[in-house]
Amino acid sequence: METVKLNNGVEMPILGYGVFQVPDYEECKNSVLHALKSGYRSIDTAQAYANEKAVGDAIKESGIPRDEIFVTTKLWVSDYGYEAAKKAFHISLENLKLDHLDLYLLHQPFGDVYGSWRALEELYKEGKIRAIGVSNFFPDRLVDLLSFNEISPALNQIETNVFYQREEDHKVMVEFGVQHESWAPFAEGKSEFFENELLVNIGRKYRKSVAQVALRWIIQRDIVVIPKSVTPERIEQNIDVFDFELSQEDMKAIAALDTNTSKFFDHRDPKMVVQFRKWAEGL
Ligand code: NAP
């Protein structure tokens, strides 16, 4: 598996396995087990996904040495703030049955980001987390956080796919040494993603599926990617992307699919900020 080196020297697989929207314990555990059997060595979960226990049990059951698996989880907004963040971190560790995390992310750029970040910095210094980072931060929020804190985020996980390519965000992350990670690499299938004519045609040339072309395009931009699937053949297909390379011409053609618009929502939309506060309060 190819890796990227984070800004603190920690290496992370460039492709991992995401488990958003897999709340069922058995389905999640079996899917993670299948992913590990298929060669994945990085798992992305979050306390908000309510499946950390299943992920932890799959890791244990797999028998793969702990230091060969890169585990990421995230702090949810309801637990933001210095004290609450520390408490939530220990709950995640317990759920996952681990003694340390590889990567811990602030899931959203809202609420007491600074207090939470201080908690993460301390846990990092204590050796309980190998790298700390953020998710869904637009460049202004990201550069604010890294400019006024001791430890810079190692990574920012943001929606990134052929329809929303994040070229400007990417440039800022490269400039400040923050690794770009893609979520929703298939836009969760929206806008007839898997039937896209350009991707279908490019896939034909390489004898690869639309999903594989989409993942390869992200990897060739040096972006970490964490596709989700609960379908065994797709889990296998999504990691089978290291035996071909898209030409510069194909990379350019795919660049033209960018709409520079989220397929979900904009984290800068005030209505969404209010919505997140309601979610944080359990409303
Ligand atoms: P995604 O990976 O873009 O899409 C998942 C969808 O694509 C599922 O419906 C899956 O179906 C289907 N699929 C997967 N592989 C396929 C293939 N080879 N051919 C056809 N269909 C395929 O969406 P996502 O789960 O939102 O994003 C990936 C990961 O990013 C998440 O699991 C999570 O870890 C992370 N994420 C983070 C955030 C954040 O705020 N930080 C937000 C969203 C996601 P089946 O499962 O039925 O096979």
Side-chain angles (χ1 to χ4, degrees), residues 32-49:
V32 173
L33 270 169
H34 192 73
L36 292 169
K37 216 170 123 196
S38 310
Y40 292 79
R41 287 297 178 269
S42 168
I43 312 291
D44 182 90
T45 182
Q47 207 170 97
Y49 301 171

Side-chain angles (χ1 to χ4, degrees), residues 33-234:
L33 270 169
H34 192 73
L36 292 169
K37 216 170 123 196
S38 310
Y40 292 79
R41 287 297 178 269
S42 168
I43 312 291
D44 182 90
T45 182
Q47 207 170 97
Y49 301 171
N51 56 19
E52 288 177 322
K53 281 190 178 152
V55 170
D57 287 347
I59 290 172
K60 271 245 145 60
E61 208 173 303
S62 76
I64 297 167
R66 166 70 185 95
D67 62 3
E68 287 177 24
I69 305 179
F70 192 98
V71 184
T72 303
T73 193
K74 314 183 191 86
L75 179 74
W76 188 239
V77 272
S78 49
D79 295 310
Y80 274 25
Y82 178 80
E83 295 293 344
K86 284 205 165 174
K87 224 187 252 171
F89 167 78
H90 286 289
I91 291 170
S92 281
L93 266 195
E94 210 172 288
N95 287 341
L96 288 159
K97 291 159 212 71
L98 300 176
D99 62 3
H100 72 278
L101 279 181
D102 295 286
L103 181 62
Y104 196 40
L105 306 179
L106 297 186
H107 205 146
Q108 303 291 346
F110 310 126
D112 187 2
V113 166
Y114 266 68
S116 309
W117 190 251
R118 272 202 305 282
L120 265 60
E121 285 182 330
E122 278 185 20
L123 293 162
Y124 172 75
K125 285 185 198 164
E126 289 164 14
K128 295 200 170 78
I129 316 172
R130 295 176 65 224
I132 54 177
V134 296
S135 179
N136 298 309
F137 276 53
F138 275 85
D140 61 325
R141 310 301 303 265
L142 180 68
V143 178
D144 170 60
L145 189 71
L146 64 82
S147 299
F148 294 95
N149 283 288
E150 189 187 337
I151 299 172
S152 177
L155 175 149
N156 185 20
Q157 183 183 115
I158 57 173
E159 178 190 347
T160 308
N161 51 59
V162 295
F163 298 139
Y164 191 28
Q165 303 190 1
R166 314 302 291 262
E167 197 44 47
E168 287 311 309
D169 299 64
H170 186 74
K171 279 187 199 144
V172 173
M173 286 189 251
V174 169
E175 183 185 346
F176 288 91
V178 178
Q179 176 62 48
H180 183 168
E181 180 174 40
S182 148
W183 65 253
F186 310 135
E188 294 183 4
K190 289 180 195 292
S191 302
E192 301 182 321
F193 190 95
F194 296 107
E195 288 82 48
N196 182 274
E197 207 184 321
L198 176 70
L199 300 179
V200 168
N201 286 335
I202 292 177
R204 257 190 215 122
K205 280 203 285 189
Y206 299 90
R207 294 178 186 278
K208 290 287 177 182
S209 70
V210 164
Q212 290 169 318
V213 170
L215 294 171
R216 188 68 216 175
W217 174 80
I218 292 175
I219 289 167
Q220 284 184 217
R221 293 176 67 208
D222 299 321
I223 297 171
V224 173
V225 67
I226 43 169
K228 172 263 175 185
S229 173
V230 291
T231 314
E233 311 82 66
R234 291 176 179 169

